[in-house]
Amino acid sequence: MISFIIPVYNAQNTIKKCVDSILAIEYENIEVIVVDDGSTDKTAEILKSFDTDRIIVIYQENKGVSAARNLGINNAKGKYISFVDADDYIISGEFAKFLKDVQQDRDFYMYAYESREKDQIRKITLPVAPGIYGHDMAEKMGDRLYDCPFSRNYKSDYFGGKVYQYLFLTDFLKKNHILFLEDVHYTEDTLFCLTCFKYTKKFEVKDTCLYVYEVLEDSASHRFREEFWDEMIMAYDRACLIMNREIGHRNELYFHFGNYNIHCIVKRFSGISAYFECRRRIKKMVYNTLFHTAILHMEFTDWTRKEKIMIFLYRYRLVPCIYWLYQLRNVRKRMPGG
């Protein structure tokens, strides 16, 4: 049996498509565990409309995606577990073919996925060539999870920190007590994958596209978050703790965390009336000790001209220039062909 675990919160517009894509897999031994994390829209009504005993719906108070996934793991009866987000979907035909070739001595499988934004579809490049790997490769992948796409030291676009592109052996997760960290609210899936890399002895990478990730502008990962910087720093520290060493390239990571935070600040406080609030928040970020220390130790090798300009502005804390540069970028994006 394969257990598909879907954490869901207010996904009335997407949950039916998601569940239908799993039920369409031509493989009888499937259970779909949907954990409703306190939805307040019509998600519950839609879930009740499915007339099949292959769907198990569990309701919980709103505790977050990690708690929902953990509840799914604890209730899973399948030999393997696959995580699916409620606003994405499975490529049913390809998944059916894939399941016929699954071997029971792998701790997990990694497979390719597509990123879809409006009419644009992009296949995400796999971090390593297809094949069967052991613990040594897993250690290397764990070290690099917090680099791509941040670091200029590696050329891969992506390095495998999304749980929806894996099929996990249930016994492997339970034997090693691998669960999602419920006090981490950003990159919790990366930390889960990192822990799997730490404990695996054998895994396989396949170049088959089995999953479609829908890029939504109003999703949590694209919204301004008051705690973003602190959450990212905490998550990175937890990652180093999991691996018992510093991983990735701290200065580059801190640059990108801070840069993205400022991007979200300018996007959120974009009106003229919010001008002073926006500048205040930018100033708070560029005067943050961790961020500024990282900027001072940045090397300019291999960075694009735009990135070099941003590093320069952050280094000298030129808040007005940072504000107006981001405003100019936002205006250009809204223009035809921008």
Side-chain angles (χ1 to χ4, degrees):
M1 178 180 284
I2 309 297
S3 298
F4 288 89
I5 297 174
I6 308 173
V8 57
Y9 176 74
N10 288 353
Q12 63 181 17
N13 296 325
T14 60
I15 187 61
K16 187 176 188 309
K17 181 178 180 179
C18 175
V19 173
D20 282 342
S21 72
I22 299 171
L23 296 178
I25 298 172
E26 293 185 357
Y27 186 87
E28 288 299 319
N29 212 3
I30 283 174
E31 67 172 5
V32 183
I33 302 175
V34 184
V35 182
D36 188 340
D37 187 37
S39 294
T40 57
D41 63 356
K42 295 182 179 179
T43 295
E45 295 177 32
I46 294 169
L47 292 172
K48 290 175 183 177
S49 69
F50 286 100
D51 186 20
T52 174
D53 58 3
R54 294 201 290 174
I55 298 178
I56 301 163
V57 182
I58 305 172
Y59 298 96
Q60 69 171 24
E61 296 178 4
N62 184 244
K63 297 179 181 179
V65 64
S66 293
R69 285 172 174 159
N70 287 341
L71 188 56
I73 293 172
N74 292 332
N75 283 273
K77 297 183 178 67
K79 189 172 185 65
Y80 278 93
I81 287 174
S82 176
F83 297 101
V84 184
D85 285 351
D87 47 6
D88 301 333
Y89 57 93
I90 294 290
I91 303 176
S92 310
E94 293 300 320
F95 216 104
K97 296 176 188 175
F98 162 72
L99 289 177
K100 292 177 182 178
D101 295 328
V102 167
Q103 303 297 313
Q104 297 186 13
D105 62 340
R106 307 330 188 224
D107 292 325
F108 58 82
Y109 282 85
M110 171 191 278
Y111 41 80
Y113 74 95
E114 292 178 354
S115 174
R116 181 167 300 189
E117 185 171 8
K118 297 178 180 177
D119 295 329
Q120 295 184 338
I121 302 173
R122 181 169 66 97
K123 181 179 177 180
I124 304 301
T125 307
L126 283 166
V128 293
I132 301 170
Y133 296 98
H135 185 71
D136 289 346
M137 176 57 78
E139 284 276 309
K140 292 177 182 177
M141 292 179 71
D143 281 338
R144 294 167 67 175
L145 265 181
Y146 267 86
D147 273 312
C148 300
F150 305 117
S151 179
R152 291 301 180 272
N153 292 283
Y154 297 117
K155 301 304 178 185
S156 174
D157 291 331
Y158 168 72
F159 227 78
K162 305 296 184 184
V163 292
Y164 47 66
Q165 70 165 141
Y166 292 88
L167 185 72
F168 296 100
L169 182 67
T170 307
D171 285 346
F172 165 71
L173 298 181
K174 293 186 176 181
K175 179 180 67 177
N176 294 292
H177 309 289
I178 301 174
L179 291 169
F180 291 87
L181 300 175
E182 297 184 16
D183 62 332
V184 176
H185 306 295
Y186 210 91
T187 71
E188 71 287 333
D189 50 348
T190 302
L191 294 176
F192 184 90
C193 295
L194 190 68
T195 309
C196 291
F197 287 145
K198 179 179 180 178
Y199 288 108
T200 184
K201 293 182 173 62
K202 188 177 185 180
F203 68 99
E204 185 169 348
V205 177
K206 299 182 82 69
D207 194 27
T208 310
C209 236
L210 304 180
Y211 190 97
V212 177
Y213 166 63
E214 292 274 19
V215 181
L216 303 175
E217 277 298 317
D218 60 346
S219 67
S221 60
H222 289 81
R223 291 197 301 266
F224 167 75
R225 294 168 67 101
E226 195 77 47
E227 311 85 3
F228 175 82
W229 170 263
D230 292 334
E231 287 178 351
M232 293 303 290
I233 298 302
M234 182 182 73
Y236 175 67
D237 287 342
R238 296 288 284 274
C240 294
L241 191 63
I242 289 170
M243 299 301 284
N244 296 317
R245 61 181 179 277
E246 185 167 310
I247 62 174
H249 296 79
R250 185 182 293 269
N251 292 334
E252 295 182 21
L253 286 167
Y254 283 9
F255 161 66
H256 280 282
F257 294 161
N259 188 51
Y260 183 73
N261 193 35
I262 290 173
H263 163 78
C264 292
I265 287 170
V266 176
K267 189 175 180 181
R268 167 65 177 80
F269 301 94
S270 59
I272 297 297
S273 61
Y275 170 73
F276 291 106
E277 177 64 14
C278 187
R279 284 189 52 171
R280 184 188 71 80
R281 289 173 177 269
I282 293 173
K283 183 177 181 179
K284 181 181 177 182
M285 187 70 255
V286 298
Y287 275 85
N288 178 280
T289 302
L290 291 177
F291 180 60
H292 190 62
T293 301
I295 293 297
L296 291 177
H297 291 87
M298 292 284 295
E299 296 181 1
F300 281 83
T301 309
D302 259 355
W303 296 89
T304 67
R305 188 171 70 171
K306 289 181 180 179
E307 288 166 335
K308 289 179 180 179
I309 291 172
M310 294 311 301
I311 293 170
F312 176 84
L313 297 179
Y314 292 146
R315 181 170 291 180
Y316 292 98
R317 293 167 165 165
L318 302 176
V319 174
C321 296
I322 294 168
Y323 173 83
W324 288 112
L325 183 62
Y326 262 110
Q327 288 292 11
L328 180 62
R329 287 174 59 181
N330 290 338
V331 170
R332 290 184 64 184
K333 284 182 180 179
R334 290 194 292 267
M335 293 174 64

mmCIF file of all heavy atoms in Angstrom, residues 228-267:
data_model
loop_
_atom_site.group_PDB
_atom_site.id
_atom_site.type_symbol
_atom_site.label_atom_id
_atom_site.label_comp_id
_atom_site.label_asym_id
_atom_site.label_seq_id
_atom_site.Cartn_x
_atom_site.Cartn_y
_atom_site.Cartn_z
ATOM 1 N N PHE A 228 9.945 36.434 9.105
ATOM 2 C CA PHE A 228 10.703 35.686 8.094
ATOM 3 C C PHE A 228 12.185 35.553 8.455
ATOM 4 O O PHE A 228 12.736 34.445 8.452
ATOM 5 C CB PHE A 228 10.564 36.351 6.726
ATOM 6 C CG PHE A 228 11.411 35.715 5.652
ATOM 7 C CD1 PHE A 228 10.976 34.575 5.001
ATOM 8 C CD2 PHE A 228 12.654 36.242 5.320
ATOM 9 C CE1 PHE A 228 11.760 33.971 4.020
ATOM 10 C CE2 PHE A 228 13.439 35.646 4.343
ATOM 11 C CZ PHE A 228 12.987 34.508 3.693
ATOM 12 N N TRP A 229 12.851 36.660 8.736
ATOM 13 C CA TRP A 229 14.291 36.622 8.998
ATOM 14 C C TRP A 229 14.602 35.705 10.185
ATOM 15 O O TRP A 229 15.458 34.816 10.084
ATOM 16 C CB TRP A 229 14.827 38.031 9.257
ATOM 17 C CG TRP A 229 16.241 38.045 9.770
ATOM 18 C CD1 TRP A 229 16.644 38.143 11.065
ATOM 19 C CD2 TRP A 229 17.445 37.937 8.987
ATOM 20 N NE1 TRP A 229 18.011 38.099 11.152
ATOM 21 C CE2 TRP A 229 18.526 37.975 9.894
ATOM 22 C CE3 TRP A 229 17.705 37.808 7.637
ATOM 23 C CZ2 TRP A 229 19.859 37.895 9.473
ATOM 24 C CZ3 TRP A 229 19.032 37.736 7.215
ATOM 25 C CH2 TRP A 229 20.088 37.776 8.111
ATOM 26 N N ASP A 230 13.915 35.887 11.286
ATOM 27 C CA ASP A 230 14.178 35.068 12.478
ATOM 28 C C ASP A 230 13.895 33.593 12.207
ATOM 29 O O ASP A 230 14.633 32.719 12.679
ATOM 30 C CB ASP A 230 13.319 35.547 13.651
ATOM 31 C CG ASP A 230 13.745 36.927 14.148
ATOM 32 O OD1 ASP A 230 14.922 37.290 13.970
ATOM 33 O OD2 ASP A 230 12.887 37.647 14.686
ATOM 34 N N GLU A 231 12.841 33.310 11.448
ATOM 35 C CA GLU A 231 12.506 31.922 11.134
ATOM 36 C C GLU A 231 13.594 31.275 10.288
ATOM 37 O O GLU A 231 13.962 30.113 10.517
ATOM 38 C CB GLU A 231 11.166 31.865 10.396
ATOM 39 C CG GLU A 231 9.963 32.135 11.293
ATOM 40 C CD GLU A 231 8.666 32.112 10.509
ATOM 41 O OE1 GLU A 231 8.713 32.059 9.272
ATOM 42 O OE2 GLU A 231 7.606 32.154 11.143
ATOM 43 N N MET A 232 14.100 31.997 9.300
ATOM 44 C CA MET A 232 15.130 31.432 8.429
ATOM 45 C C MET A 232 16.430 31.194 9.168
ATOM 46 O O MET A 232 17.103 30.168 8.968
ATOM 47 C CB MET A 232 15.369 32.354 7.231
ATOM 48 C CG MET A 232 14.194 32.440 6.276
ATOM 49 S SD MET A 232 13.683 30.828 5.609
ATOM 50 C CE MET A 232 15.054 30.452 4.527
ATOM 51 N N ILE A 233 16.813 32.115 10.040
ATOM 52 C CA ILE A 233 18.030 31.939 10.830
ATOM 53 C C ILE A 233 17.884 30.747 11.766
ATOM 54 O O ILE A 233 18.793 29.919 11.905
ATOM 55 C CB ILE A 233 18.351 33.221 11.633
ATOM 56 C CG1 ILE A 233 18.599 34.399 10.684
ATOM 57 C CG2 ILE A 233 19.553 32.991 12.540
ATOM 58 C CD1 ILE A 233 19.720 34.197 9.693
ATOM 59 N N MET A 234 16.715 30.634 12.417
ATOM 60 C CA MET A 234 16.484 29.513 13.316
ATOM 61 C C MET A 234 16.526 28.185 12.556
ATOM 62 O O MET A 234 17.132 27.207 13.019
ATOM 63 C CB MET A 234 15.134 29.655 14.020
ATOM 64 C CG MET A 234 14.863 28.518 15.006
ATOM 65 S SD MET A 234 13.253 28.623 15.822
ATOM 66 C CE MET A 234 12.146 28.169 14.480
ATOM 67 N N ALA A 235 15.891 28.147 11.380
ATOM 68 C CA ALA A 235 15.863 26.920 10.586
ATOM 69 C C ALA A 235 17.271 26.526 10.153
ATOM 70 O O ALA A 235 17.636 25.339 10.184
ATOM 71 C CB ALA A 235 14.959 27.105 9.372
ATOM 72 N N TYR A 236 18.072 27.508 9.749
ATOM 73 C CA TYR A 236 19.442 27.201 9.338
ATOM 74 C C TYR A 236 20.255 26.665 10.515
ATOM 75 O O TYR A 236 21.016 25.698 10.378
ATOM 76 C CB TYR A 236 20.112 28.444 8.748
ATOM 77 C CG TYR A 236 21.565 28.223 8.411
ATOM 78 C CD1 TYR A 236 21.941 27.352 7.383
ATOM 79 C CD2 TYR A 236 22.572 28.857 9.129
ATOM 80 C CE1 TYR A 236 23.274 27.134 7.076
ATOM 81 C CE2 TYR A 236 23.908 28.642 8.827
ATOM 82 C CZ TYR A 236 24.256 27.781 7.802
ATOM 83 O OH TYR A 236 25.572 27.560 7.505
ATOM 84 N N ASP A 237 20.102 27.263 11.682
ATOM 85 C CA ASP A 237 20.797 26.772 12.872
ATOM 86 C C ASP A 237 20.377 25.345 13.203
ATOM 87 O O ASP A 237 21.210 24.512 13.591
ATOM 88 C CB ASP A 237 20.512 27.686 14.073
ATOM 89 C CG ASP A 237 21.236 29.020 13.968
ATOM 90 O OD1 ASP A 237 22.200 29.125 13.175
ATOM 91 O OD2 ASP A 237 20.829 29.981 14.661
ATOM 92 N N ARG A 238 19.083 25.042 13.026
ATOM 93 C CA ARG A 238 18.609 23.670 13.278
ATOM 94 C C ARG A 238 19.216 22.698 12.268
ATOM 95 O O ARG A 238 19.531 21.554 12.597
ATOM 96 C CB ARG A 238 17.084 23.628 13.215
ATOM 97 C CG ARG A 238 16.395 24.455 14.281
ATOM 98 C CD ARG A 238 16.505 23.834 15.669
ATOM 99 N NE ARG A 238 15.609 22.722 15.841
ATOM 100 C CZ ARG A 238 14.339 22.822 16.225
ATOM 101 N NH1 ARG A 238 13.812 24.024 16.456
ATOM 102 N NH2 ARG A 238 13.601 21.760 16.395
ATOM 103 N N ALA A 239 19.375 23.160 11.029
ATOM 104 C CA ALA A 239 19.977 22.311 9.997
ATOM 105 C C ALA A 239 21.414 21.952 10.369
ATOM 106 O O ALA A 239 21.828 20.790 10.237
ATOM 107 C CB ALA A 239 19.941 23.025 8.645
ATOM 108 N N CYS A 240 22.163 22.938 10.826
ATOM 109 C CA CYS A 240 23.547 22.679 11.249
ATOM 110 C C CYS A 240 23.570 21.724 12.438
ATOM 111 O O CYS A 240 24.459 20.862 12.552
ATOM 112 C CB CYS A 240 24.248 23.988 11.601
ATOM 113 S SG CYS A 240 24.487 25.103 10.197
ATOM 114 N N LEU A 241 22.596 21.860 13.321
ATOM 115 C CA LEU A 241 22.512 20.993 14.488
ATOM 116 C C LEU A 241 22.211 19.555 14.077
ATOM 117 O O LEU A 241 22.786 18.602 14.628
ATOM 118 C CB LEU A 241 21.424 21.517 15.435
ATOM 119 C CG LEU A 241 21.362 20.902 16.831
ATOM 120 C CD1 LEU A 241 22.647 21.185 17.600
ATOM 121 C CD2 LEU A 241 20.161 21.450 17.598
ATOM 122 N N ILE A 242 21.339 19.383 13.109
ATOM 123 C CA ILE A 242 21.002 18.040 12.619
ATOM 124 C C ILE A 242 22.239 17.340 12.062
ATOM 125 O O ILE A 242 22.490 16.164 12.323
ATOM 126 C CB ILE A 242 19.901 18.118 11.541
ATOM 127 C CG1 ILE A 242 18.561 18.499 12.176
ATOM 128 C CG2 ILE A 242 19.766 16.792 10.790
ATOM 129 C CD1 ILE A 242 17.470 18.844 11.180
ATOM 130 N N MET A 243 23.054 18.100 11.295
ATOM 131 C CA MET A 243 24.236 17.516 10.657
ATOM 132 C C MET A 243 25.482 17.561 11.543
ATOM 133 O O MET A 243 26.542 17.055 11.162
ATOM 134 C CB MET A 243 24.520 18.256 9.346
ATOM 135 C CG MET A 243 23.401 18.164 8.326
ATOM 136 S SD MET A 243 23.006 16.463 7.838
ATOM 137 C CE MET A 243 24.388 16.114 6.736
ATOM 138 N N ASN A 244 25.358 18.179 12.725
ATOM 139 C CA ASN A 244 26.483 18.302 13.665
ATOM 140 C C ASN A 244 27.671 19.061 13.090
ATOM 141 O O ASN A 244 28.829 18.800 13.430
ATOM 142 C CB ASN A 244 26.950 16.911 14.138
ATOM 143 C CG ASN A 244 25.879 16.181 14.919
ATOM 144 O OD1 ASN A 244 25.208 16.772 15.751
ATOM 145 N ND2 ASN A 244 25.699 14.904 14.623
ATOM 146 N N ARG A 245 27.403 20.006 12.181
ATOM 147 C CA ARG A 245 28.459 20.839 11.603
ATOM 148 C C ARG A 245 27.787 21.978 10.834
ATOM 149 O O ARG A 245 26.597 21.915 10.539
ATOM 150 C CB ARG A 245 29.376 20.045 10.679
ATOM 151 C CG ARG A 245 28.665 19.425 9.479
ATOM 152 C CD ARG A 245 29.641 18.642 8.623
ATOM 153 N NE ARG A 245 29.005 18.021 7.490
ATOM 154 C CZ ARG A 245 28.364 16.865 7.513
ATOM 155 N NH1 ARG A 245 28.269 16.184 8.643
ATOM 156 N NH2 ARG A 245 27.817 16.368 6.425
ATOM 157 N N GLU A 246 28.561 22.992 10.501
ATOM 158 C CA GLU A 246 28.022 24.075 9.691
ATOM 159 C C GLU A 246 27.916 23.622 8.248
ATOM 160 O O GLU A 246 28.877 23.093 7.685
ATOM 161 C CB GLU A 246 28.922 25.318 9.778
ATOM 162 C CG GLU A 246 28.325 26.505 9.033
ATOM 163 C CD GLU A 246 29.014 27.819 9.361
ATOM 164 O OE1 GLU A 246 29.165 28.113 10.565
ATOM 165 O OE2 GLU A 246 29.388 28.540 8.419
ATOM 166 N N ILE A 247 26.772 23.805 7.658
ATOM 167 C CA ILE A 247 26.556 23.388 6.273
ATOM 168 C C ILE A 247 26.315 24.618 5.403
ATOM 169 O O ILE A 247 25.992 25.688 5.892
ATOM 170 C CB ILE A 247 25.372 22.401 6.154
ATOM 171 C CG1 ILE A 247 24.068 23.072 6.601
ATOM 172 C CG2 ILE A 247 25.635 21.141 6.947
ATOM 173 C CD1 ILE A 247 22.841 22.216 6.377
ATOM 174 N N GLY A 248 26.479 24.444 4.120
ATOM 175 C CA GLY A 248 26.235 25.534 3.189
ATOM 176 C C GLY A 248 27.275 26.633 3.325
ATOM 177 O O GLY A 248 28.381 26.419 3.824
ATOM 178 N N HIS A 249 26.909 27.829 2.900
ATOM 179 C CA HIS A 249 27.794 28.993 2.949
ATOM 180 C C HIS A 249 27.019 30.115 3.644
ATOM 181 O O HIS A 249 26.192 30.790 3.036
ATOM 182 C CB HIS A 249 28.227 29.393 1.542
ATOM 183 C CG HIS A 249 29.056 28.346 0.869
ATOM 184 N ND1 HIS A 249 28.497 27.236 0.285
ATOM 185 C CD2 HIS A 249 30.404 28.220 0.727
ATOM 186 C CE1 HIS A 249 29.457 26.473 -0.209
ATOM 187 N NE2 HIS A 249 30.617 27.046 0.050
ATOM 188 N N ARG A 250 27.299 30.283 4.931
ATOM 189 C CA ARG A 250 26.497 31.125 5.806
ATOM 190 C C ARG A 250 26.338 32.559 5.280
ATOM 191 O O ARG A 250 25.235 33.100 5.249
ATOM 192 C CB ARG A 250 27.107 31.145 7.208
ATOM 193 C CG ARG A 250 26.268 31.912 8.227
ATOM 194 C CD ARG A 250 26.956 31.939 9.581
ATOM 195 N NE ARG A 250 27.022 30.608 10.158
ATOM 196 C CZ ARG A 250 26.092 30.092 10.963
ATOM 197 N NH1 ARG A 250 25.011 30.804 11.244
ATOM 198 N NH2 ARG A 250 26.231 28.895 11.468
ATOM 199 N N ASN A 251 27.424 33.184 4.852
ATOM 200 C CA ASN A 251 27.335 34.577 4.414
ATOM 201 C C ASN A 251 26.410 34.731 3.214
ATOM 202 O O ASN A 251 25.585 35.652 3.158
ATOM 203 C CB ASN A 251 28.727 35.115 4.074
ATOM 204 C CG ASN A 251 29.601 35.251 5.302
ATOM 205 O OD1 ASN A 251 29.103 35.409 6.408
ATOM 206 N ND2 ASN A 251 30.906 35.186 5.118
ATOM 207 N N GLU A 252 26.533 33.830 2.251
ATOM 208 C CA GLU A 252 25.676 33.895 1.070
ATOM 209 C C GLU A 252 24.226 33.658 1.433
ATOM 210 O O GLU A 252 23.318 34.309 0.907
ATOM 211 C CB GLU A 252 26.143 32.879 0.030
ATOM 212 C CG GLU A 252 27.528 33.174 -0.518
ATOM 213 C CD GLU A 252 27.950 32.175 -1.579
ATOM 214 O OE1 GLU A 252 27.057 31.523 -2.162
ATOM 215 O OE2 GLU A 252 29.148 32.044 -1.824
ATOM 216 N N LEU A 253 23.992 32.720 2.342
ATOM 217 C CA LEU A 253 22.625 32.440 2.775
ATOM 218 C C LEU A 253 22.007 33.649 3.463
ATOM 219 O O LEU A 253 20.872 34.042 3.175
ATOM 220 C CB LEU A 253 22.620 31.240 3.721
ATOM 221 C CG LEU A 253 22.837 29.873 3.080
ATOM 222 C CD1 LEU A 253 23.121 28.835 4.138
ATOM 223 C CD2 LEU A 253 21.620 29.471 2.271
ATOM 224 N N TYR A 254 22.757 34.259 4.364
ATOM 225 C CA TYR A 254 22.240 35.418 5.085
ATOM 226 C C TYR A 254 21.963 36.582 4.131
ATOM 227 O O TYR A 254 20.997 37.338 4.311
ATOM 228 C CB TYR A 254 23.221 35.848 6.168
ATOM 229 C CG TYR A 254 23.201 34.987 7.408
ATOM 230 C CD1 TYR A 254 22.485 33.788 7.442
ATOM 231 C CD2 TYR A 254 23.890 35.356 8.556
ATOM 232 C CE1 TYR A 254 22.471 32.990 8.560
ATOM 233 C CE2 TYR A 254 23.873 34.563 9.697
ATOM 234 C CZ TYR A 254 23.167 33.380 9.697
ATOM 235 O OH TYR A 254 23.149 32.593 10.818
ATOM 236 N N PHE A 255 22.813 36.742 3.121
ATOM 237 C CA PHE A 255 22.557 37.779 2.109
ATOM 238 C C PHE A 255 21.218 37.536 1.432
ATOM 239 O O PHE A 255 20.387 38.434 1.290
ATOM 240 C CB PHE A 255 23.676 37.815 1.070
ATOM 241 C CG PHE A 255 23.299 38.506 -0.216
ATOM 242 C CD1 PHE A 255 23.031 39.872 -0.242
ATOM 243 C CD2 PHE A 255 23.185 37.796 -1.404
ATOM 244 C CE1 PHE A 255 22.670 40.518 -1.423
ATOM 245 C CE2 PHE A 255 22.828 38.428 -2.580
ATOM 246 C CZ PHE A 255 22.567 39.786 -2.592
ATOM 247 N N HIS A 256 20.976 36.297 1.012
ATOM 248 C CA HIS A 256 19.733 35.995 0.299
ATOM 249 C C HIS A 256 18.523 36.046 1.209
ATOM 250 O O HIS A 256 17.454 36.496 0.797
ATOM 251 C CB HIS A 256 19.846 34.641 -0.402
ATOM 252 C CG HIS A 256 20.595 34.700 -1.679
ATOM 253 N ND1 HIS A 256 20.054 35.176 -2.847
ATOM 254 C CD2 HIS A 256 21.874 34.381 -1.976
ATOM 255 C CE1 HIS A 256 20.949 35.130 -3.819
ATOM 256 N NE2 HIS A 256 22.057 34.650 -3.317
ATOM 257 N N PHE A 257 18.664 35.602 2.463
ATOM 258 C CA PHE A 257 17.543 35.707 3.403
ATOM 259 C C PHE A 257 17.147 37.168 3.593
ATOM 260 O O PHE A 257 15.972 37.535 3.536
ATOM 261 C CB PHE A 257 17.915 35.109 4.770
ATOM 262 C CG PHE A 257 18.165 33.629 4.757
ATOM 263 C CD1 PHE A 257 18.873 33.027 5.790
ATOM 264 C CD2 PHE A 257 17.689 32.823 3.733
ATOM 265 C CE1 PHE A 257 19.104 31.664 5.798
ATOM 266 C CE2 PHE A 257 17.917 31.454 3.722
ATOM 267 C CZ PHE A 257 18.631 30.875 4.765
ATOM 268 N N GLY A 258 18.152 38.019 3.848
ATOM 269 C CA GLY A 258 17.874 39.431 4.072
ATOM 270 C C GLY A 258 17.366 40.128 2.825
ATOM 271 O O GLY A 258 16.431 40.941 2.888
ATOM 272 N N ASN A 259 17.952 39.798 1.689
ATOM 273 C CA ASN A 259 17.552 40.402 0.422
ATOM 274 C C ASN A 259 16.099 40.052 0.089
ATOM 275 O O ASN A 259 15.310 40.914 -0.319
ATOM 276 C CB ASN A 259 18.484 39.931 -0.694
ATOM 277 C CG ASN A 259 18.253 40.658 -2.004
ATOM 278 O OD1 ASN A 259 18.223 41.876 -2.051
ATOM 279 N ND2 ASN A 259 18.076 39.904 -3.070
ATOM 280 N N TYR A 260 15.737 38.793 0.292
ATOM 281 C CA TYR A 260 14.361 38.371 0.018
ATOM 282 C C TYR A 260 13.393 39.022 1.006
ATOM 283 O O TYR A 260 12.277 39.404 0.633
ATOM 284 C CB TYR A 260 14.241 36.847 0.089
ATOM 285 C CG TYR A 260 12.857 36.347 -0.266
ATOM 286 C CD1 TYR A 260 12.418 36.368 -1.596
ATOM 287 C CD2 TYR A 260 11.979 35.900 0.708
ATOM 288 C CE1 TYR A 260 11.147 35.935 -1.936
ATOM 289 C CE2 TYR A 260 10.708 35.474 0.380
ATOM 290 C CZ TYR A 260 10.299 35.494 -0.946
ATOM 291 O OH TYR A 260 9.028 35.072 -1.273
ATOM 292 N N ASN A 261 13.826 39.164 2.251
ATOM 293 C CA ASN A 261 12.983 39.810 3.250
ATOM 294 C C ASN A 261 12.692 41.253 2.856
ATOM 295 O O ASN A 261 11.545 41.725 2.951
ATOM 296 C CB ASN A 261 13.673 39.757 4.608
ATOM 297 C CG ASN A 261 12.737 40.131 5.740
ATOM 298 O OD1 ASN A 261 11.541 39.827 5.707
ATOM 299 N ND2 ASN A 261 13.257 40.814 6.742
ATOM 300 N N ILE A 262 13.704 41.967 2.382
ATOM 301 C CA ILE A 262 13.506 43.349 1.951
ATOM 302 C C ILE A 262 12.618 43.414 0.714
ATOM 303 O O ILE A 262 11.763 44.293 0.585
ATOM 304 C CB ILE A 262 14.873 44.022 1.697
ATOM 305 C CG1 ILE A 262 15.597 44.226 3.030
ATOM 306 C CG2 ILE A 262 14.707 45.366 0.970
ATOM 307 C CD1 ILE A 262 17.012 44.715 2.912
ATOM 308 N N HIS A 263 12.793 42.457 -0.185
ATOM 309 C CA HIS A 263 11.913 42.368 -1.360
ATOM 310 C C HIS A 263 10.454 42.265 -0.922
ATOM 311 O O HIS A 263 9.574 42.958 -1.459
ATOM 312 C CB HIS A 263 12.318 41.160 -2.201
ATOM 313 C CG HIS A 263 11.274 40.725 -3.179
ATOM 314 N ND1 HIS A 263 11.045 41.378 -4.364
ATOM 315 C CD2 HIS A 263 10.389 39.687 -3.147
ATOM 316 C CE1 HIS A 263 10.064 40.777 -5.018
ATOM 317 N NE2 HIS A 263 9.646 39.758 -4.298
ATOM 318 N N CYS A 264 10.174 41.408 0.061
ATOM 319 C CA CYS A 264 8.801 41.224 0.544
ATOM 320 C C CYS A 264 8.302 42.469 1.286
ATOM 321 O O CYS A 264 7.120 42.817 1.199
ATOM 322 C CB CYS A 264 8.724 40.004 1.459
ATOM 323 S SG CYS A 264 8.978 38.427 0.601
ATOM 324 N N ILE A 265 9.192 43.137 2.008
ATOM 325 C CA ILE A 265 8.820 44.368 2.717
ATOM 326 C C ILE A 265 8.362 45.429 1.726
ATOM 327 O O ILE A 265 7.307 46.062 1.898
ATOM 328 C CB ILE A 265 10.013 44.887 3.555
ATOM 329 C CG1 ILE A 265 10.237 43.991 4.775
ATOM 330 C CG2 ILE A 265 9.763 46.334 4.007
ATOM 331 C CD1 ILE A 265 11.526 44.286 5.525
ATOM 332 N N VAL A 266 9.154 45.644 0.666
ATOM 333 C CA VAL A 266 8.819 46.680 -0.319
ATOM 334 C C VAL A 266 7.522 46.333 -1.049
ATOM 335 O O VAL A 266 6.700 47.199 -1.344
ATOM 336 C CB VAL A 266 9.977 46.871 -1.325
ATOM 337 C CG1 VAL A 266 9.604 47.884 -2.404
ATOM 338 C CG2 VAL A 266 11.238 47.335 -0.597
ATOM 339 N N LYS A 267 7.329 45.058 -1.308
ATOM 340 C CA LYS A 267 6.101 44.617 -1.976
ATOM 341 C C LYS A 267 4.890 44.835 -1.076
ATOM 342 O O LYS A 267 3.819 45.242 -1.538
ATOM 343 C CB LYS A 267 6.224 43.141 -2.359
ATOM 344 C CG LYS A 267 5.110 42.630 -3.251
ATOM 345 C CD LYS A 267 5.386 41.198 -3.684
ATOM 346 C CE LYS A 267 4.271 40.678 -4.581
ATOM 347 N NZ LYS A 267 4.517 39.273 -4.996
#
